[in-house]
Amino acid sequence: MSVLSMLAAQGVSPVCTSAAECAGQGVDTFLGTPRRVWASVAALVAMGGVAVGWPALRSARRAGGGRRGAVVALVMGLAGGLNGAVNLAVADGGLGTGNGVFGGSVALVLGLAGAVLGGLALARPRRAEPNG
């Protein structure tokens, strides 16, 4: 069996809520609870907003540069941050309970950072192109 087939099989396998449940289902890896996965995906989306927003902010001073990246950073930051905030709002426990509290807080912070970077890149005035 190739590595790609094994990864695809693990990706299709159900997400277990505990390591004991995974052992009962015959799944050899514990991916985490659904809320932890949700928080992790939200954190990755928010981190993508920061990763896109920083270069967009740097290139916003050039004529025509950075606008698309700024919009992408703003949208990704807002989506990741809002998902992190919702995850924190519905969490009924603290750290280590499987509710994705840490991932949700990371997503909230990174989402705010990505949205701010995208907003700053959109608001930054552009230089006028030289006529000549």
Side-chain angles (χ1 to χ4, degrees):
M1 181 179 258
S2 71
V3 174
L4 187 58
S5 322
M6 289 190 316
L7 288 175
Q10 286 182 354
V12 176
S13 66
V15 177
C16 310
T17 57
S18 69
E21 184 181 338
C22 281
Q25 291 179 359
V27 179
D28 57 348
T29 57
F30 176 58
L31 297 175
T33 62
R35 288 190 182 168
R36 279 185 179 168
V37 173
W38 174 26
S40 299
V41 169
L44 287 174
V45 168
M47 189 178 357
V50 172
V52 171
W54 186 255
L57 182 62
R58 293 191 68 203
S59 66
R61 299 281 303 190
R62 287 181 268 157
R67 183 150 178 88
R68 180 178 293 154
V71 171
V72 169
L74 187 63
V75 169
M76 288 179 78
L78 288 175
L82 285 176
N83 274 297
V86 169
N87 191 358
L88 286 174
V90 299
D92 52 349
L95 288 173
T97 59
N99 290 316
V101 173
F102 181 74
S105 59
V106 168
L108 180 62
V109 170
L110 287 176
L112 287 174
V116 166
L117 286 172
L120 285 174
L122 282 175
R124 184 169 275 192
R126 293 177 178 18
R127 278 190 228 156
E129 292 202 23
N131 295 334

